[in-house]
Amino acid sequence: MFLNNLWFVLIALLWIGYFVLEGFDFGVGALLRIVGRKEKGRRVLINTIGPVWDGNEVWLLTAGGATFAAFPEWYASMFSGFYLALLVILVCLIGRGVAFEYRGKGSTDTWRARWDWTILISSWALPVLWGVAFGNVVRGVPLDADHEYVGTFLDLLNPFALLMGVTVLLLVLTHGGVYLSLKTTAQVRDRAQAFTLRLAPFAIAAMAVAVVWQYLIRGPVLSLAVGLAAVVALAVAWALTRVSRDGWAFVLSALSTGLLVTSWFLAIYPNVLPSTLDPAWSLTIENAASTPYTLTLMSWVAIAFVPLVVGYQAWSYWVFRKRISVRHIPDSPGATAQESPQTSSR
């Protein structure tokens, strides 16, 4: 059971890393036309995440692969039950990635506007869909005695899951706004800061309601305590943004995101996918796990390669750590900027 517990914790850590890192770049994409407004402003926003957004998605791929290998029954039941929702998520991820790469390949305003809308729509849809998906994981789904999903797509759109979708969207928008306040200057930064200050109270309120509702559905007290700590961390991030302590505000918004995801996994443990029909039919870290040999082999592979991935990603963030302004953006994607320390000109 040690390896079962270990891989449950590792998968939780992978999802925490994904929501913390991809969370702010979803937020930047969702704010593209709100904070960016004009063409150079939008290119500033895209360049703040240009060097890192694809690296952030490695956490999602690793989390999915680890779940498939360590808990194959969890993977199978979740994908069969959430098939349509996960298909939409996949389409949005592909469309968003293509938009980042192709936006700078054309020279007309129409071309760029179409890709901007692709980024915008997918960046709004993905946090909602992930929130609904994890809301259902926490609440539980109708699994029968064979651990097969016997509900419908509409069963996934229950009030708790929809609240989780709205909560994750508001959190991502706030996290993205705080990141933009840290990474930009002048008018773009001022708009990002003003948007964050207006939106954060709604995110704090939604998260507080979701955390208490989660406790009433699933418990335990530790999950409630960690969830409330996430609410407090977001409130502190909001207060720090008001006094322009951008670096610490980003640390606190990232901490809030990580704590909220941690509370989800604490709420379901030792289950990995609770059944709403009969608790005895739930998938647990015991009946959903792979063989001890598989888990042992996976552990050695993780020890060898995870430090390399984390080290490379940390180095990328360090290299592209400076703020970006419209002065760093060339007049056209192919031209040279007056000051261009770290831009990709997408």
Side-chain angles (χ1 to χ4, degrees):
M1 284 295 289
F2 169 76
L3 289 176
N4 301 40
N5 284 294
L6 174 65
W7 274 98
F8 180 80
V9 172
L10 290 177
I11 289 171
L13 289 174
L14 289 169
W15 281 110
I16 291 168
Y18 175 68
F19 276 96
V20 168
L21 297 177
E22 191 86 301
F24 70 74
D25 76 50
F26 283 160
V28 171
L31 298 175
L32 191 61
R33 283 183 169 265
I34 299 172
V35 173
R37 295 194 182 175
K38 297 181 180 179
E39 170 58 17
K40 279 200 171 185
R42 289 194 282 274
R43 285 164 63 190
V44 167
L45 263 64
I46 291 173
N47 281 330
T48 62
I49 58 173
V52 297
W53 72 267
D54 45 0
N56 294 342
E57 294 194 348
V58 170
W59 292 77
L60 171 63
L61 298 174
T62 310
T67 305
F68 173 75
F71 299 102
E73 283 215 47
W74 182 14
Y75 184 92
S77 297
M78 194 162 63
F79 268 72
S80 62
F82 301 170
Y83 180 78
L84 184 58
L86 292 175
L87 179 64
V88 176
I89 286 174
L90 182 61
V91 171
C92 287
L93 286 172
I94 293 173
R96 188 167 180 270
V98 171
F100 281 133
E101 296 298 331
Y102 275 74
R103 184 184 188 278
K105 305 298 182 185
S107 58
T108 66
D109 292 339
T110 303
W111 173 271
R112 287 190 287 269
R114 287 174 178 170
W115 292 118
D116 284 348
W117 280 108
T118 304
I119 295 171
L120 194 75
I121 293 170
S122 57
S123 297
W124 279 79
L126 284 165
V128 175
L129 291 166
W130 280 127
V132 170
F134 275 91
N136 279 291
V137 171
V138 172
R139 175 182 175 270
V141 294
L143 295 180
D144 64 13
D146 295 323
H147 302 145
E148 292 185 0
Y149 182 82
V150 293
T152 66
F153 174 74
L154 292 179
D155 291 334
L156 302 177
L157 304 179
N158 55 79
F160 176 72
L162 293 174
L163 173 63
M164 289 294 285
V166 172
T167 300
V168 173
L169 173 63
L170 292 172
L171 176 60
V172 159
L173 288 170
T174 304
H175 194 28
V178 172
Y179 177 77
L180 286 173
S181 298
L182 175 66
K183 287 289 294 180
T184 60
T185 62
Q187 292 180 341
V188 176
R189 179 190 174 278
D190 293 343
R191 287 196 294 269
Q193 185 184 42
F195 180 84
T196 303
L197 292 175
R198 287 196 298 269
L199 185 73
F202 296 99
I204 295 167
M207 188 189 292
V209 174
V211 166
V212 173
W213 195 347
Q214 173 181 291
Y215 170 70
L216 296 175
I217 293 175
R218 189 62 56 192
V221 174
L222 181 59
S223 171
L224 176 65
V226 172
L228 292 178
V231 177
V232 172
L234 192 61
V236 175
W238 176 59
L240 290 170
T241 301
R242 291 183 67 87
V243 294
S244 299
R245 299 294 298 272
D246 300 330
W248 282 111
F250 180 70
V251 170
L252 267 295
S253 68
L255 179 63
S256 175
T257 306
L259 289 173
L260 179 65
V261 180
T262 302
S263 75
W264 298 345
F265 284 88
L266 288 172
I268 63 173
Y269 181 83
N271 298 316
V272 292
L273 192 60
S275 171
T276 55
L277 301 179
D278 186 336
W281 296 345
S282 298
L283 282 169
T284 69
I285 61 169
E286 186 173 5
N287 64 23
S290 292
T291 64
Y293 175 79
T294 302
L295 296 177
T296 302
L297 184 63
M298 289 176 60
S299 301
W300 284 112
V301 172
I303 290 171
F305 290 103
V306 169
L308 293 176
V309 174
V310 173
Y312 172 77
Q313 198 155 22
W315 176 77
S316 298
Y317 276 93
W318 175 254
V319 169
F320 296 100
R321 65 188 180 279
K322 292 184 178 179
R323 292 178 184 263
I324 300 173
S325 76
V326 292
R327 292 179 303 156
H328 302 131
I329 304 299
D331 293 331
S332 64
T336 302
Q338 295 175 350
E339 300 177 48
S340 182
Q342 298 165 339
T343 58
S344 61
S345 299
R346 282 189 169 114

